[in-house]
């Protein structure tokens, strides 16, 4: 089955700086890679996702890059703000449309943005 | 879009008791998923439904666990004879059918088994 490794496990940045979180996956058939943000006491919230047919996707201060050859993908947050502080999870899925829909998650990165 | 709703938010039970959780998905979503999350870990897949059909179950879903989605709308997850190792956050998510439909999670039910 799929295995997703996520680094770092904790990350502290100064407000306004950039934050980068990296993930690797094992199953070359995986083709859908979402990122979730989880605040204390809440469920994961989808913030951005990318499919294997593109290499980069941006949404305001958030971007995701994908390297299929190396089987890794990264989340980039620019101009960080205190409200970005949360735990971030990457995930991977082989979305063949054939029925299986098991997202495999990384172990998470706790991001702290210091004012 | 009122989001995925889970009830209760917290449940404390004694070992050996049965518990049942409910999930109400986003109304137009026909896929519904259950995940479990322990402290410091990412969510782990348990099972998922397309409409009322349970299409996939993880090996994590022992025979003490049962999930239903009788009318293709809300779902229940029951744990029988709870054990301390069942203590976790149980998350429900829903999505549309079709390639790349994102999962939308509820805020979970936190189970504590004493």
């Amino acid at each position: 089955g799929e295995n997703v490794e996520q680094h770092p496990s904790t990350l502290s940045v100064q407000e306004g700086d950039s934050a980068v979180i990296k993930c690797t996956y094992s199953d070359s058939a995986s083709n859908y890679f979402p990122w979730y943000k989880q605040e204390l006491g809440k469920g994961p919230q989808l913030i951005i996702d990318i499919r294997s047919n593109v290499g980069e996707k941006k949404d305001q201060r958030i971007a995701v890059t994908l390297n299929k050859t190396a089987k890794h993908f990264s989340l980039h947050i620019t101009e960080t703000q205190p409200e970005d502080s949360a735990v971030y999870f990457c995930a991977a899925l082989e979305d063949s449309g054939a029925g299986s829909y098991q997202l495999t998650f990384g172990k998470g990165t706790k991001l702290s943005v210091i004012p | 879009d009122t989001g995925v709703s889970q009830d209760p938010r917290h449940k404390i039970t004694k070992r050996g008791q049965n518990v049942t959780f409910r999930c109400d998905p986003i109304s137009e979503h026909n896929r519904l998923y259950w995940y479990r999350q322990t402290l410091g870990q990412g969510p782990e897949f348990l099972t998922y439904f397309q409409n009322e059909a349970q299409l996939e179950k993880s090996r994590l879903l022992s025979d003490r666990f049962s999930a239903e989605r009788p009318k293709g709308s809300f779902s229940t997850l029951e744990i029988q004879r709870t054990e301390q190792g069942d203590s976790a956050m149980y998350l429900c998510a829903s999505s549309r059918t079709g390639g790349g439909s994102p999962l939308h999670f509820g805020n979970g039910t936190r189970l504590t088994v004493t």
Side-chain angles (χ1 to χ4, degrees), chain A residues 31-69:
Chain A
N31 58 5
Y32 174 63
F33 307 93
W35 285 88
Y36 286 85
K37 174 184 180 182
Q38 188 172 28
E39 297 174 325
L40 199 62
K42 295 188 176 181
Q45 177 188 9
L46 179 71
I47 55 172
I48 195 167
D49 55 12
I50 192 168
R51 300 196 163 280
S52 58
N53 57 347
V54 298
E56 184 176 2
K57 184 176 179 180
K58 285 184 180 180
D59 182 3
Q60 300 182 5
R61 297 186 296 109
I62 295 173
V64 57
T65 59
L66 171 65
N67 183 327
K68 279 213 73 180
T69 303

Short mmCIF file of all heavy atoms in Angstrom, two decimals, chain A residues 31-69:
data_model
loop_
_atom_site.label_atom_id
_atom_site.label_comp_id
_atom_site.label_asym_id
_atom_site.label_seq_id
_atom_site.Cartn_x
_atom_site.Cartn_y
_atom_site.Cartn_z
N ASN A 31 -2.03 9.67 -7.86
CA ASN A 31 -2.18 10.76 -8.82
C ASN A 31 -2.96 11.96 -8.28
O ASN A 31 -3.27 12.89 -9.00
CB ASN A 31 -2.84 10.24 -10.11
CG ASN A 31 -4.19 9.60 -9.85
OD1 ASN A 31 -4.69 9.61 -8.74
ND2 ASN A 31 -4.78 9.05 -10.89
N TYR A 32 -3.28 11.93 -6.99
CA TYR A 32 -4.02 13.05 -6.40
C TYR A 32 -3.41 13.34 -5.03
O TYR A 32 -3.23 12.41 -4.22
CB TYR A 32 -5.51 12.70 -6.27
CG TYR A 32 -6.33 13.72 -5.53
CD1 TYR A 32 -6.49 15.01 -6.04
CD2 TYR A 32 -6.97 13.41 -4.35
CE1 TYR A 32 -7.24 15.96 -5.37
CE2 TYR A 32 -7.73 14.35 -3.68
CZ TYR A 32 -7.86 15.62 -4.18
OH TYR A 32 -8.61 16.56 -3.52
N PHE A 33 -3.07 14.61 -4.78
CA PHE A 33 -2.30 14.98 -3.59
C PHE A 33 -2.91 16.21 -2.92
O PHE A 33 -2.61 17.33 -3.29
CB PHE A 33 -0.84 15.24 -3.98
CG PHE A 33 -0.22 14.12 -4.77
CD1 PHE A 33 -0.24 14.12 -6.15
CD2 PHE A 33 0.36 13.03 -4.11
CE1 PHE A 33 0.30 13.07 -6.87
CE2 PHE A 33 0.91 11.99 -4.83
CZ PHE A 33 0.88 12.01 -6.21
N PRO A 34 -3.77 15.99 -1.93
CA PRO A 34 -4.36 17.13 -1.22
C PRO A 34 -3.54 17.50 0.01
O PRO A 34 -2.79 16.69 0.55
CB PRO A 34 -5.73 16.59 -0.80
CG PRO A 34 -5.51 15.11 -0.62
CD PRO A 34 -4.42 14.72 -1.58
N TRP A 35 -3.70 18.74 0.45
CA TRP A 35 -3.12 19.23 1.69
C TRP A 35 -4.27 19.71 2.59
O TRP A 35 -5.18 20.41 2.13
CB TRP A 35 -2.16 20.39 1.43
CG TRP A 35 -0.86 19.97 0.84
CD1 TRP A 35 -0.56 19.80 -0.48
CD2 TRP A 35 0.34 19.66 1.56
NE1 TRP A 35 0.74 19.41 -0.64
CE2 TRP A 35 1.33 19.32 0.60
CE3 TRP A 35 0.70 19.65 2.91
CZ2 TRP A 35 2.63 18.97 0.95
CZ3 TRP A 35 1.99 19.31 3.25
CH2 TRP A 35 2.94 18.97 2.29
N TYR A 36 -4.17 19.34 3.86
CA TYR A 36 -5.19 19.71 4.82
C TYR A 36 -4.56 20.50 5.97
O TYR A 36 -3.42 20.24 6.37
CB TYR A 36 -5.88 18.47 5.40
CG TYR A 36 -6.85 17.81 4.45
CD1 TYR A 36 -6.40 16.89 3.51
CD2 TYR A 36 -8.20 18.11 4.49
CE1 TYR A 36 -7.28 16.29 2.62
CE2 TYR A 36 -9.10 17.52 3.61
CZ TYR A 36 -8.63 16.61 2.69
OH TYR A 36 -9.51 16.01 1.81
N LYS A 37 -5.34 21.43 6.51
CA LYS A 37 -4.95 22.21 7.69
C LYS A 37 -5.89 21.81 8.82
O LYS A 37 -7.12 21.77 8.62
CB LYS A 37 -5.10 23.71 7.39
CG LYS A 37 -4.87 24.63 8.57
CD LYS A 37 -5.15 26.08 8.16
CE LYS A 37 -4.93 27.04 9.30
NZ LYS A 37 -5.26 28.45 8.91
N GLN A 38 -5.34 21.49 9.98
CA GLN A 38 -6.17 21.09 11.10
C GLN A 38 -5.87 21.96 12.30
O GLN A 38 -4.74 21.98 12.80
CB GLN A 38 -5.96 19.61 11.45
CG GLN A 38 -6.94 19.10 12.50
CD GLN A 38 -6.86 17.60 12.70
OE1 GLN A 38 -5.81 16.99 12.49
NE2 GLN A 38 -7.95 16.98 13.10
N GLU A 39 -6.87 22.67 12.75
CA GLU A 39 -6.76 23.48 13.96
C GLU A 39 -7.24 22.68 15.15
O GLU A 39 -7.99 21.70 15.01
CB GLU A 39 -7.55 24.78 13.78
CG GLU A 39 -6.99 25.65 12.65
CD GLU A 39 -7.85 26.87 12.37
OE1 GLU A 39 -9.09 26.76 12.49
OE2 GLU A 39 -7.28 27.92 12.03
N LEU A 40 -6.85 23.11 16.33
CA LEU A 40 -7.13 22.37 17.54
C LEU A 40 -8.63 22.15 17.73
O LEU A 40 -9.42 23.09 17.64
CB LEU A 40 -6.55 23.12 18.74
CG LEU A 40 -6.34 22.30 20.01
CD1 LEU A 40 -5.34 21.18 19.76
CD2 LEU A 40 -5.86 23.21 21.15
N GLY A 41 -9.02 20.90 17.92
CA GLY A 41 -10.42 20.59 18.17
C GLY A 41 -11.29 20.56 16.93
O GLY A 41 -12.51 20.42 17.04
N LYS A 42 -10.67 20.67 15.76
CA LYS A 42 -11.45 20.67 14.52
C LYS A 42 -10.99 19.56 13.59
O LYS A 42 -9.92 18.98 13.77
CB LYS A 42 -11.32 22.02 13.81
CG LYS A 42 -11.93 23.18 14.60
CD LYS A 42 -11.95 24.45 13.77
CE LYS A 42 -12.64 25.57 14.53
NZ LYS A 42 -12.69 26.82 13.72
N GLY A 43 -11.80 19.28 12.58
CA GLY A 43 -11.41 18.31 11.58
C GLY A 43 -10.49 18.93 10.55
O GLY A 43 -10.35 20.16 10.48
N PRO A 44 -9.83 18.12 9.75
CA PRO A 44 -8.94 18.64 8.70
C PRO A 44 -9.75 19.43 7.66
O PRO A 44 -10.84 19.02 7.27
CB PRO A 44 -8.35 17.37 8.08
CG PRO A 44 -8.56 16.29 9.09
CD PRO A 44 -9.83 16.65 9.81
N GLN A 45 -9.16 20.54 7.22
CA GLN A 45 -9.79 21.39 6.22
C GLN A 45 -8.91 21.41 4.98
O GLN A 45 -7.72 21.74 5.06
CB GLN A 45 -9.96 22.80 6.77
CG GLN A 45 -10.55 23.79 5.78
CD GLN A 45 -10.52 25.21 6.30
OE1 GLN A 45 -9.92 25.50 7.33
NE2 GLN A 45 -11.14 26.12 5.59
N LEU A 46 -9.48 21.07 3.83
CA LEU A 46 -8.72 21.08 2.59
C LEU A 46 -8.30 22.50 2.25
O LEU A 46 -9.12 23.42 2.24
CB LEU A 46 -9.58 20.53 1.46
CG LEU A 46 -8.92 20.49 0.08
CD1 LEU A 46 -7.85 19.40 0.04
CD2 LEU A 46 -9.96 20.25 -1.00
N ILE A 47 -7.00 22.70 1.97
CA ILE A 47 -6.53 24.04 1.61
C ILE A 47 -6.07 24.12 0.16
O ILE A 47 -6.19 25.18 -0.47
CB ILE A 47 -5.40 24.53 2.56
CG1 ILE A 47 -4.24 23.54 2.60
CG2 ILE A 47 -5.96 24.81 3.96
CD1 ILE A 47 -3.03 24.09 3.37
N ILE A 48 -5.56 23.04 -0.37
CA ILE A 48 -5.15 23.01 -1.77
C ILE A 48 -4.91 21.57 -2.17
O ILE A 48 -4.62 20.73 -1.32
CB ILE A 48 -3.88 23.88 -1.99
CG1 ILE A 48 -3.65 24.18 -3.48
CG2 ILE A 48 -2.65 23.24 -1.38
CD1 ILE A 48 -2.61 25.27 -3.73
N ASP A 49 -5.05 21.27 -3.44
CA ASP A 49 -4.74 19.93 -3.93
C ASP A 49 -4.12 20.03 -5.32
O ASP A 49 -4.22 21.06 -5.99
CB ASP A 49 -5.98 19.03 -3.93
CG ASP A 49 -7.16 19.59 -4.73
OD1 ASP A 49 -6.99 20.59 -5.47
OD2 ASP A 49 -8.27 19.06 -4.58
N ILE A 50 -3.49 18.96 -5.74
CA ILE A 50 -2.83 18.95 -7.04
C ILE A 50 -2.94 17.55 -7.64
O ILE A 50 -2.94 16.55 -6.92
CB ILE A 50 -1.35 19.39 -6.92
CG1 ILE A 50 -0.74 19.65 -8.31
CG2 ILE A 50 -0.52 18.39 -6.13
CD1 ILE A 50 0.61 20.35 -8.25
N ARG A 51 -3.09 17.51 -8.95
CA ARG A 51 -3.13 16.24 -9.65
C ARG A 51 -1.80 16.01 -10.36
O ARG A 51 -1.06 16.94 -10.63
CB ARG A 51 -4.26 16.25 -10.66
CG ARG A 51 -5.56 16.47 -9.98
CD ARG A 51 -6.73 16.11 -10.86
NE ARG A 51 -7.85 15.98 -9.96
CZ ARG A 51 -8.05 14.89 -9.23
NH1 ARG A 51 -7.27 13.84 -9.35
NH2 ARG A 51 -9.05 14.84 -8.40
N SER A 52 -1.59 14.77 -10.74
CA SER A 52 -0.27 14.40 -11.27
C SER A 52 -0.01 14.96 -12.65
O SER A 52 1.12 14.88 -13.14
CB SER A 52 -0.14 12.87 -11.29
OG SER A 52 -1.18 12.31 -12.07
N ASN A 53 -1.01 15.54 -13.29
CA ASN A 53 -0.79 16.07 -14.64
C ASN A 53 -0.33 17.52 -14.62
O ASN A 53 -0.15 18.13 -15.68
CB ASN A 53 -2.06 15.92 -15.49
CG ASN A 53 -3.26 16.60 -14.87
OD1 ASN A 53 -3.24 16.98 -13.70
ND2 ASN A 53 -4.31 16.75 -15.65
N VAL A 54 -0.13 18.07 -13.41
CA VAL A 54 0.43 19.42 -13.30
C VAL A 54 1.58 19.42 -12.32
O VAL A 54 1.67 18.54 -11.46
CB VAL A 54 -0.64 20.45 -12.86
CG1 VAL A 54 -1.76 20.56 -13.87
CG2 VAL A 54 -1.17 20.11 -11.49
N GLY A 55 2.47 20.38 -12.47
CA GLY A 55 3.64 20.41 -11.61
C GLY A 55 3.54 21.41 -10.48
O GLY A 55 4.25 21.30 -9.49
N GLU A 56 2.63 22.40 -10.62
CA GLU A 56 2.52 23.43 -9.60
C GLU A 56 1.12 24.02 -9.64
O GLU A 56 0.49 24.12 -10.68
CB GLU A 56 3.56 24.53 -9.84
CG GLU A 56 3.59 25.61 -8.77
CD GLU A 56 4.69 26.63 -8.97
OE1 GLU A 56 5.42 26.52 -9.98
OE2 GLU A 56 4.83 27.54 -8.13
N LYS A 57 0.67 24.42 -8.46
CA LYS A 57 -0.64 25.06 -8.35
C LYS A 57 -0.55 26.12 -7.26
O LYS A 57 0.06 25.86 -6.21
CB LYS A 57 -1.71 24.03 -8.02
CG LYS A 57 -3.13 24.56 -7.97
CD LYS A 57 -4.09 23.40 -7.72
CE LYS A 57 -5.53 23.87 -7.63
NZ LYS A 57 -6.45 22.71 -7.37
N LYS A 58 -1.15 27.28 -7.51
CA LYS A 58 -1.10 28.36 -6.53
C LYS A 58 -2.50 28.84 -6.19
O LYS A 58 -3.41 28.84 -7.02
CB LYS A 58 -0.31 29.54 -7.10
CG LYS A 58 1.19 29.35 -7.15
CD LYS A 58 1.89 30.63 -7.64
CE LYS A 58 3.38 30.46 -7.68
NZ LYS A 58 4.07 31.68 -8.16
N ASP A 59 -2.65 29.26 -4.94
CA ASP A 59 -3.88 29.88 -4.51
C ASP A 59 -3.52 30.94 -3.48
O ASP A 59 -3.28 30.63 -2.32
CB ASP A 59 -4.84 28.84 -3.90
CG ASP A 59 -6.16 29.44 -3.49
OD1 ASP A 59 -6.38 30.65 -3.73
OD2 ASP A 59 -7.00 28.71 -2.92
N GLN A 60 -3.39 32.17 -3.94
CA GLN A 60 -3.01 33.30 -3.10
C GLN A 60 -1.65 33.02 -2.45
O GLN A 60 -0.66 32.90 -3.15
CB GLN A 60 -4.12 33.59 -2.09
CG GLN A 60 -5.44 33.94 -2.76
CD GLN A 60 -6.56 34.28 -1.76
OE1 GLN A 60 -6.36 34.34 -0.56
NE2 GLN A 60 -7.75 34.51 -2.28
N ARG A 61 -1.60 32.89 -1.11
CA ARG A 61 -0.30 32.72 -0.46
C ARG A 61 0.16 31.26 -0.39
O ARG A 61 1.24 30.97 0.13
CB ARG A 61 -0.37 33.28 0.96
CG ARG A 61 -0.64 34.77 1.04
CD ARG A 61 -0.56 35.28 2.49
NE ARG A 61 -1.59 34.67 3.34
CZ ARG A 61 -1.35 33.77 4.29
NH1 ARG A 61 -0.12 33.35 4.52
NH2 ARG A 61 -2.34 33.31 5.02
N ILE A 62 -0.64 30.37 -0.90
CA ILE A 62 -0.34 28.94 -0.80
C ILE A 62 -0.03 28.38 -2.18
O ILE A 62 -0.70 28.70 -3.16
CB ILE A 62 -1.54 28.19 -0.19
CG1 ILE A 62 -1.76 28.64 1.25
CG2 ILE A 62 -1.32 26.68 -0.24
CD1 ILE A 62 -3.02 28.09 1.87
N ALA A 63 1.00 27.55 -2.25
CA ALA A 63 1.34 26.87 -3.49
C ALA A 63 1.76 25.45 -3.18
O ALA A 63 2.26 25.16 -2.09
CB ALA A 63 2.48 27.60 -4.22
N VAL A 64 1.53 24.59 -4.13
CA VAL A 64 1.98 23.20 -4.01
C VAL A 64 2.75 22.85 -5.28
O VAL A 64 2.37 23.26 -6.38
CB VAL A 64 0.80 22.24 -3.77
CG1 VAL A 64 -0.24 22.33 -4.86
CG2 VAL A 64 1.27 20.82 -3.59
N THR A 65 3.86 22.13 -5.11
CA THR A 65 4.64 21.65 -6.23
C THR A 65 4.70 20.13 -6.18
O THR A 65 4.65 19.53 -5.09
CB THR A 65 6.07 22.22 -6.22
OG1 THR A 65 6.70 21.85 -4.98
CG2 THR A 65 6.06 23.74 -6.32
N LEU A 66 4.79 19.52 -7.34
CA LEU A 66 4.81 18.06 -7.44
C LEU A 66 5.91 17.63 -8.38
O LEU A 66 6.02 18.15 -9.50
CB LEU A 66 3.46 17.55 -7.96
CG LEU A 66 3.38 16.07 -8.32
CD1 LEU A 66 3.55 15.19 -7.08
CD2 LEU A 66 2.04 15.76 -9.00
N ASN A 67 6.73 16.68 -7.93
CA ASN A 67 7.75 16.07 -8.77
C ASN A 67 7.43 14.58 -8.84
O ASN A 67 7.75 13.83 -7.91
CB ASN A 67 9.15 16.31 -8.18
CG ASN A 67 10.25 15.76 -9.06
OD1 ASN A 67 10.09 14.74 -9.73
ND2 ASN A 67 11.39 16.42 -9.06
N LYS A 68 6.80 14.16 -9.93
CA LYS A 68 6.37 12.76 -10.04
C LYS A 68 7.54 11.81 -10.17
O LYS A 68 7.50 10.68 -9.69
CB LYS A 68 5.43 12.60 -11.24
CG LYS A 68 4.01 13.00 -10.98
CD LYS A 68 3.04 12.15 -11.77
CE LYS A 68 2.95 10.75 -11.22
NZ LYS A 68 2.00 9.90 -12.01
N THR A 69 8.59 12.28 -10.82
CA THR A 69 9.76 11.41 -11.01
C THR A 69 10.37 11.05 -9.66
O THR A 69 10.69 9.89 -9.40
CB THR A 69 10.80 12.10 -11.90
OG1 THR A 69 10.20 12.43 -13.15
CG2 THR A 69 12.00 11.19 -12.13
#
